DNA sequence: GATAAAAACCCCCTTTAGGGGGGTGTTTGC
DNA sequence: GCAAACACCCCCCTAAAGGGGGTTTTTATC
């Protein structure tokens, strides 16, 4: 029997999940945490095979928590379960060690299939995410860490001069990055840049 | 017995809700819809007393659907059930006729309390939203329809001249609105303006 | 060891946004 | 009836962004 832990702050959802998993007969729920902190405290006791992990936790990013958990217990499989269907989020989760990715409007049977697959050491993406990841590359934007940092500072409303001062670079360099970001994202100005950054969760 | 309909595309959540409501003994689930379109088709047959309505539906805004449902069946109570905890969203839902507002990380008993309250003709806000709505006014930003329209066009990346042409106003007027928006939202430039607009769902 | 990509840097010039003022008339709610 | 909010318009000036063209160094990948 597969031991599953659930980390998600939506209490109604976790209750539904618990019922679903218990009834399925393929797994048992070792524990439920409603925050990243609660997860960190309990995960050592639960020793689950699979963690159903939300990305949007109240006290931190599931993306970071995923990396953390995989570092501590490399054998434990992470199955992301979120509302986000943005390429950047999925890719970051997978880069941080997640074995699978489900979106919350997936059917119940996909959840069970996902748990079984990742427990068996496979990679599992729900249908919609699978399609997303297979799209032509040019539609899925991927920024370098430096570009992401710059984009973040731009969305904060800092000017080129302020950014330059903050990260010890020449203002001209910042300008260069900004031009590149506009080109890369196909944005005509800062407003669109910020919009895309937030909508596609590029930061 | 209160008759409840559920409109939400998160299938796992709706299953959890169904169980929760059935077990409670205070209400029965008349039907479940996973989209606005499905809701429109079935609501006439279900004739529920209370509709649990999500804001983020795949095929349209729950805010609009709320208004639509209240116009067609004024006696039917709408109880919003969403992830959004932004003032603007809550206020728009209430303005459009919703009798209550729950956020999805609320406890299960708040859902039942909410159903009972709105069925009895009362207004129900879950704890977190209640606090939000009672904050000092200056923290809860509210824009006029015209300001919202302008803000939307700004986030689309249009320049003052383009906006002016589009809505048949003088570029100087647009400039005035923009200055006012910066002042009203406390934003230092367009980047922050766009960020706030999207984060607080002002558009 | 070649190739490519990221990262850092620079100049010129034009357009747009932002900061500071000023003002008018018209709804709308109390 | 009157204030408040809304919608509309104009000036001047500076700061910042955007469009065009470049260079070099490091770092990873094949």
């Amino acid at each position: 029997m597969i031991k599953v832990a659930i980390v998600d702050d939506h209490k109604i959802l976790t209750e539904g999940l618990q019922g679903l998993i218990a009834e399925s007969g393929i797994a048992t729920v070792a524990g439920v945490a409603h925050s990243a902190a609660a997860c960190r405290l309990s995960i050592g006791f639960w020793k689950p095979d699979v963690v159903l992990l939300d990305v949007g936790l109240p006290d931190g990013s599931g993306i970071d928590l995923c990396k953390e958990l995989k570092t501590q217990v490399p054998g434990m499989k992470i199955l992301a379960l979120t509302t986000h269907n943005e390429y950047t989020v999925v890719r970051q989760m997978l880069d941080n060690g997640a074995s699978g990715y489900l979106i919350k409007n997936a059917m119940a049977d996909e959840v069970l299939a996902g748990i079984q697959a990742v427990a068996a050491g496979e990679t599992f993406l729900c249908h919609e995410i699978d399609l997303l990841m297979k799209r032509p590359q040019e539609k899925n934007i991927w920024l370098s860490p430096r570009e992401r940092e710059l984009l973040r500072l731009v969305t904060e409303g800092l000017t080129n001069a302020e950014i330059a001062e903050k990260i010890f670079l020449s203002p001209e360099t910042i300008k260069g990055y900004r031009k590149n970001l506009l080109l890369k994202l196909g944005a005509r100005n800062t407003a669109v840049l910020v919009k895309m950054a937030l909508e596609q969760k590029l930061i």
Side-chain angles (χ1 to χ4, degrees), chain A:
Chain A
M1 196 78 119
I2 305 163
K3 270 169 72 182
V4 175
I6 302 171
V7 184
D8 198 314
D9 65 322
H10 290 18
K11 297 168 192 77
I12 304 159
L13 185 103
T14 59
E15 286 186 32
L17 270 175
Q18 277 180 277
L20 186 75
I21 292 168
E23 281 170 33
S24 76
I26 64 149
T28 57
V29 178
V32 178
H34 294 308
S35 67
C39 170
R40 285 192 195 93
L41 275 175
S42 306
I43 203 83
F45 297 102
W46 295 339
K47 297 197 193 347
D49 304 304
V50 176
V51 181
L52 281 178
L53 180 59
D54 188 18
V55 169
L57 295 169
D59 58 343
S61 160
I63 297 173
D64 299 333
L65 183 59
C66 177
K67 194 175 208 163
E68 206 181 308
L69 292 174
K70 283 302 281 189
T71 312
Q72 282 173 20
V73 193
M76 192 166 62
K77 307 296 180 185
I78 310 278
L79 180 55
L81 176 65
T82 89
T83 53
H84 300 289
N85 61 347
E86 296 90 4
Y87 176 81
T88 315
V89 177
V90 181
R91 172 141 176 197
Q92 280 184 95
M93 281 303 278
L94 297 178
D95 281 356
N96 283 0
S99 303
Y101 200 105
L102 302 171
I103 40 174
K104 281 188 181 170
N105 63 7
M107 302 296 290
D109 53 4
E110 277 199 289
V111 178
L112 300 175
I115 292 171
Q116 283 185 302
V118 303
E122 297 164 31
T123 296
F124 186 91
L125 301 178
C126 70
H127 184 63
E128 188 178 326
I129 297 300
D130 191 42
L131 286 177
L132 174 73
M133 300 307 281
K134 281 178 180 158
R135 282 195 311 187
Q137 309 89 311
E138 72 265 19
K139 296 209 72 182
N140 288 331
I141 295 155
W142 188 244
L143 303 177
S144 73
R146 198 57 159 173
E147 285 174 324
R148 253 202 298 281
E149 188 184 4
L150 244 102
L151 186 52
R152 197 177 51 75
L153 294 168
V154 169
T155 63
E156 302 284 340
L158 302 195
T159 65
N160 291 334
E162 288 166 339
I163 296 172
E165 204 183 346
K166 190 154 197 169
I167 61 175
F168 309 110
L169 289 179
S170 150
E172 284 300 325
T173 304
I174 309 301
K175 227 172 144 178
Y177 273 104
R178 247 178 130 133
K179 277 194 287 194
N180 221 289
L181 281 168
L182 289 173
L183 186 69
K184 211 164 176 176
L185 305 198
R188 61 187 306 215
N189 55 31
T190 302
V192 179
L193 200 63
V194 172
K195 192 181 167 219
M196 294 181 74
L198 295 175
E199 281 180 348
Q200 302 184 35
K201 308 259 171 0
L202 299 174
I203 44 166

